[in-house]
């Protein structure tokens, strides 16, 4: 995994400890699914790419961490967890909400198979 210093700095600057920990875990999920993912900050958020195409984005808000999976049209998603148009799906994770990282890993792997 090649770490982009800008992404490292973005995560380090997250003020809420639970959000910082979650962002680290989500980043690890992307790199487990796609060890050669390219990281960059775009639109003030960490983006992860394969072959120049978006794979995932991590963003934070006051009370949540959002994780968007791109190329999601063919994915079978758990009912009620994700929102957004067919090509990209976002899960908003709030403090105290458990998320199945293995499930996210599987979804990211599936979404990147055709990129």
């Amino acid at each position: 995994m090649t770490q982009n210093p800008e992404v490292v700095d973005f995560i380090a600057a997250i003020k809420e400890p639970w959000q910082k920990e979650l962002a680290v875990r989500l980043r690890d999920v992307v790199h487990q699914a796609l060890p050669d993912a390219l990281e960059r900050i775009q639109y003030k958020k960490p983006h992860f790419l394969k072959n120049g195409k978006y794979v995932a984005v991590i963003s934070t808000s006051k009370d949540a961490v959002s994780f968007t999976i791109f190329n999601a049209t063919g994915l079978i998603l758990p009912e009620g967890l994700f929102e957004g148009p067919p090509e990209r799906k976002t899960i908003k994770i709030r403090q105290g909400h458990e998320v199945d990282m293995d499930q996210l890993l599987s979804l990211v792997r599936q979404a990147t198979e055709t990129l």
Side-chain angles (χ1 to χ4, degrees), residues 11-85:
I11 293 172
I14 297 172
K15 289 183 172 60
E16 291 292 329
W18 72 270
Q19 288 181 317
K20 186 181 296 190
E21 177 189 333
L22 184 55
V24 167
R25 291 175 59 206
L26 291 169
R27 181 187 196 195
D28 288 345
V29 162
V30 173
H31 285 291
Q32 286 176 42
L34 192 65
D36 59 344
L38 175 68
E39 298 184 334
R40 73 175 176 208
I41 295 291
Q42 190 169 354
Y43 308 111
K44 299 180 183 180
K45 298 177 249 188
H47 284 65
F48 303 88
L49 298 94
K50 176 183 177 184
N51 298 326
K53 298 188 188 286
Y54 293 123
V55 171
V57 175
I58 298 170
S59 63
T60 57
S61 63
K62 184 178 178 180
D63 66 343
V65 176
S66 295
F67 184 67
T68 301
I69 300 173
F70 289 82
N71 199 38
T73 302
L75 298 181
I76 298 171
L77 300 167
E79 188 78 24
L81 283 183
F82 289 83
E83 53 189 45

